[in-house]
């Protein structure tokens, strides 16, 4: 890096990785920006493995220059970094982020919020209502597990959560720790997954309500990992159209492991709806497939949502 005031600003990707995004903002047409972005990550504030600072350090090592913690229905990870007197130099720029669960198309859908005012009442009130929903579901799950002979599940899940908002992964970790199952996947397969004996449906807010929280706080709403919902192309097109009608801004197009043809299909649906594109690792744990820095480039002809923050 280096150079004078007119030189390009650059965040280098790790050696051998062709995953940077070259952006020329319209307002500064003579200055090129090359930034590796990761706008979908999870810390220990929700169901991620790493503490917020440790995740930022991992991203810095991968060459990430712009990122967001998008923990499930909480800003605790953001708040922890904000409480630091002086975060270390050389870390990625951190945007306020969150991942809200919503009810749409008869199923649970995830909406990522980016770049909002983290102190805004709309966001904080939305988080509070989500945590009430999560707590109520946790108590129902614990009651079902107790009926099945698995006692102490609520306390065990709270211990696994270590202060984070309770979710099914924390019950899964309790089931592993208590010897009921060998792996988290087995916990979902036997107890917690859809149609299993301890599964409890959550009454999430509607899509328009959650996007409204994000937009009211000045942020951008992104439809997360659209291919994860296992929809046909026509149903996915309808979901994206609904998201657009609810005030959505972008669709998550680039994630690690997606085939180019799949990204092109999602990108085409985003173009048709007039929405921008986002990219992220959906990082949860070190050593997995979704490692920061391994995000493929966006297909051509898409408008990156992160241009607002570069």
């Amino acid at each position: 890096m280096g150079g004078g005031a007119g030189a390009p600003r650059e965040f280098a990707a790790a050696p051998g990785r062709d995953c940077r995004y070259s952006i020329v903002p319209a307002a500064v047409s003579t200055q090129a920006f090359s930034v590796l972005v990761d706008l979908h990550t999870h810390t220990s504030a929700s169901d991620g493995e790493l503490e917020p600072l440790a995740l930022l350090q991992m991203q810095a090592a991968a060459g990430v220059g712009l990122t967001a913690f998008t923990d499930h229905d909480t800003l605790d990870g953001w708040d922890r970094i904000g409480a630091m007197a002086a975060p270390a130099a050389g870390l990625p720029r951190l945007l306020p982020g969150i991942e809200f669960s919503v009810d749409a198309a008869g199923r649970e859908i995830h909406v990522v919020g980016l770049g909002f005012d983290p102190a805004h009442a709309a966001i904080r009130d939305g988080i509070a209502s989500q945590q009430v929903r999560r707590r109520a579901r946790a108590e129902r799950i614990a009651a079902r597990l107790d009926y099945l002979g698995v006692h102490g599940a609520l306390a065990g899940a709270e211990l696994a959560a270590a202060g984070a908002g309770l979710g099914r992964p924390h019950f899964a970790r309790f089931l592993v720790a208590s010897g009921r199952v060998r792996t988290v996947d087995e916990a979902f397969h036997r107890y917690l997954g859809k149609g299993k004996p301890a599964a409890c449906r959550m009454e999430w807010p509607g899509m328009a309500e959650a996007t409204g929280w994000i937009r009211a706080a000045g942020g951008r709403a992104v439809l997360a990992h659209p291919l994860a919902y296992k929809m046909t192309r026509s149903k996915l097109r309808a979901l994206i159209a609904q998201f657009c009608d609810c005030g959505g801004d972008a669709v998550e197009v680039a994630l690690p492991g997606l085939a180019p043809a799949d990204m092109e299909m999602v990108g085409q649906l985003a173009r048709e709806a007039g929405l921008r594109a986002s990219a992220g690792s959906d990082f949860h744990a070190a050593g997995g497939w979704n490692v920061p820095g391994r995000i493929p480039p966006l297909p051509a002809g898409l408008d990156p949502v992160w241009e607002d923050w570069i």
Side-chain angles (χ1 to χ4, degrees):
M1 290 195 284
R9 210 174 135 204
E10 192 133 328
F11 297 81
R17 292 178 184 165
D18 180 21
C19 49
R20 290 185 297 175
Y21 300 87
S22 295
I23 302 167
V24 181
V28 195
S29 60
T30 60
Q31 190 172 15
F33 292 77
S34 183
V35 179
L36 177 60
V37 302
D38 186 354
L39 299 180
H40 188 161
T41 69
H42 297 275
T43 76
S44 58
S46 62
D47 58 347
E49 177 183 81
L50 298 182
E51 289 293 318
L53 181 57
L55 177 52
L56 284 179
Q57 290 168 336
M58 173 185 280
Q59 290 176 311
V64 174
L66 179 69
T67 190
F69 299 153
T70 54
D71 285 312
H72 295 283
D73 303 311
T74 183
L75 283 173
D76 284 355
W78 166 270
D79 291 340
R80 291 181 207 173
I81 292 296
M84 293 173 59
L91 296 178
R93 179 185 174 192
L94 182 64
L95 292 175
I98 199 163
E99 186 170 8
F100 285 126
S101 296
V102 306
D103 187 18
R107 66 182 73 194
E108 180 179 323
I109 300 294
H110 291 176
V111 175
V112 163
L114 297 170
F116 48 81
D117 174 3
H120 198 283
I123 284 287
R124 295 290 174 170
D125 289 348
I127 290 170
S129 67
Q130 292 289 80
Q131 293 302 328
V132 168
R133 292 182 175 97
R134 284 186 172 273
R135 180 69 190 190
R137 180 177 67 170
E139 292 174 354
R140 295 198 305 273
I141 290 173
R144 290 196 180 189
L145 287 171
D146 189 71
Y147 177 78
L148 295 168
V150 182
H151 307 303
L154 186 60
E158 288 174 332
L159 183 63
L166 282 174
R168 289 182 302 164
H170 303 121
F171 283 96
R173 293 174 196 171
F174 159 73
L175 290 168
V176 173
S178 63
R180 292 280 178 169
V181 297
R182 289 170 295 177
T183 66
V184 166
D185 286 345
E186 186 182 351
F188 276 87
H189 181 72
R190 288 184 56 188
Y191 292 101
L192 301 168
K194 185 177 180 180
K196 302 304 176 181
C200 295
R201 177 173 171 78
M202 176 76 84
E203 297 299 327
W204 295 116
M207 184 179 281
E209 185 176 2
T211 56
W213 299 335
I214 296 164
R215 296 298 298 271
R220 301 288 180 267
V222 180
L223 181 65
H225 43 63
L227 294 181
Y229 309 124
K230 307 296 183 184
M231 293 179 165
T232 63
R233 181 167 180 153
S234 61
K235 288 184 177 179
L236 184 55
R237 178 183 284 109
L239 176 67
I240 291 173
Q242 179 186 356
F243 181 65
C244 185
D245 291 342
C246 288
D249 297 282
V251 176
E252 204 166 69
V253 175
L255 292 96
L258 288 186
D262 287 335
M263 289 195 298
E264 181 56 48
M265 185 271 286
V266 175
Q268 179 59 34
L269 294 179
R271 290 187 200 98
E272 291 175 5
L275 297 177
R276 306 175 89 177
S278 191
S281 65
D282 197 7
F283 173 84
H284 283 79
W289 60 269
N290 50 354
V291 176
R294 294 184 182 171
I295 306 165
L298 288 178
L302 292 170
D303 183 15
V305 71
W306 57 86
E307 281 187 331
D308 291 343
W309 307 297
I310 296 296

